[in-house]
Every structure is written in structure tokens, then in C-alpha cells.
Amino acid sequence: MKHKRLLEGLIFFLFIFWIYAAVIKLADISMWRFQLREQPFSDTLTDPLAFGLPALEFVIAALLISKKTLKLGVYASALLLIVFSGYIGLIQLNFFNHIPCSCAGIIKSFGWTEHLIFNIAILTLTIIAIFQIKRPQSDLATLGVQLS
């Protein structure tokens, strides 16, 4: 029972995290697009990323709702967090010619080091969720993350 509650809490947190991440980008799309143009990759990627990344975050959140897609949603969460953290790590290592501006929302005051720590903390929670999902199926049979 304790493991079920832990997993439900982690899944609920990830759901809120991905919804928030997507909404904050779309709420000020012009700022989000500006931030993307400041990144060290081609400007041709600005529009696909401006709408594609929030869409992906919404999809991951949706995957976390159903027992049938929960595992995929948690793994997708981990993968996207690894990509984000790797990108921030490259920034920290001065891999790019310039350091782009930071993010929006509650982490807009973070520097890149704090952002990396934040991402690693959420990735750690996601990995804990993965280990909870790998528990015997009987523990998951009654899992019902109530999001509404």
C-alpha cells in the first residue's frame, strides 16, 4: 500500500510538472520563441520546437493518466529529462559558442547550474517511479491515479 501511494504521488507530480512546463511555454509563446532563437541551434528549428516541445510535454502528461500507457509515460519522462539535462550539461561545459538565456516559469530565476540540479532532482524522482513500476504486478493492479 505504501508503494502504491508513493507511485501515485510521483505520477501525479510528473503529470503536473509536464502540464505546467507545456502551459508556461504556450502562455507566453512570443517569449518562448525568443528564448528558442537564443539557443545555439538553427533558427529553422524555432517554430517546430516552439509548438512541438509543449505538445510532447502534453502527450507525456496524457500517457501518465492511463494504466495502459503509464509505463511509457514514465519512461518518456525520464528520456526527455535526460535530454534536457544533457543539453544543460553541454552548456555548463561551454560546448556551445554562447550561453543562451534561461527558461521561464518558476525556474526563470535559476542559473544553468540550478536548472541542472532541478532537472536531476526530477529525473531522480522519475527513476524512483520506474523502480516502483517494476515492482510485482499485483502492486500495480490497483493503481488508479486520480487526476480529476
Side-chain angles (χ1 to χ4, degrees):
M1 185 65 145
K2 185 178 4 174
H3 298 291
K4 177 186 170 203
R5 293 279 183 225
L6 174 63
L7 182 56
E8 286 176 339
L10 292 169
I11 298 304
F12 183 74
F13 172 78
L14 287 171
F15 175 82
I16 295 299
F17 172 76
W18 291 121
I19 293 294
Y20 175 80
V23 167
I24 203 71
K25 290 174 180 79
L26 295 175
D28 191 352
I29 192 71
S30 60
M31 177 57 79
W32 170 232
R33 291 178 79 234
F34 170 78
Q35 290 173 337
L36 286 172
R37 281 191 298 276
E38 293 295 309
Q39 302 303 312
F41 41 76
S42 172
D43 285 347
T44 60
L45 294 175
T46 298
D47 284 335
L49 286 174
F51 297 101
L53 194 53
L56 178 59
E57 291 165 343
F58 279 131
V59 167
I60 291 173
L63 291 171
L64 295 170
I65 294 173
S66 170
K67 282 189 268 187
K68 292 180 181 180
T69 59
L70 176 66
K71 190 182 240 182
L72 178 60
V74 174
Y75 279 99
S77 294
L79 181 62
L80 193 54
L81 285 163
I82 288 168
V83 169
F84 287 164
S85 298
Y87 176 66
I88 295 169
L90 290 173
I91 290 169
Q92 291 288 86
L93 294 171
N94 295 315
F95 184 79
F96 303 108
N97 291 334
H98 75 283
I99 296 177
C101 59
S102 190
C103 293
I106 60 172
I107 60 174
K108 68 181 170 188
S109 64
F110 287 7
W112 286 110
T113 301
E114 293 87 359
H115 194 156
L116 182 59
I117 292 167
F118 179 79
N119 279 23
I120 290 171
I122 295 174
L123 178 59
T124 300
L125 293 175
T126 305
I127 291 168
I128 292 169
I130 289 170
F131 281 110
Q132 291 299 310
I133 287 173
K134 288 187 172 195
R135 295 186 63 78
Q137 282 302 97
S138 60
D139 288 354
L140 292 178
T142 59
L143 179 65
V145 180
Q146 299 298 321
L147 298 174
S148 57

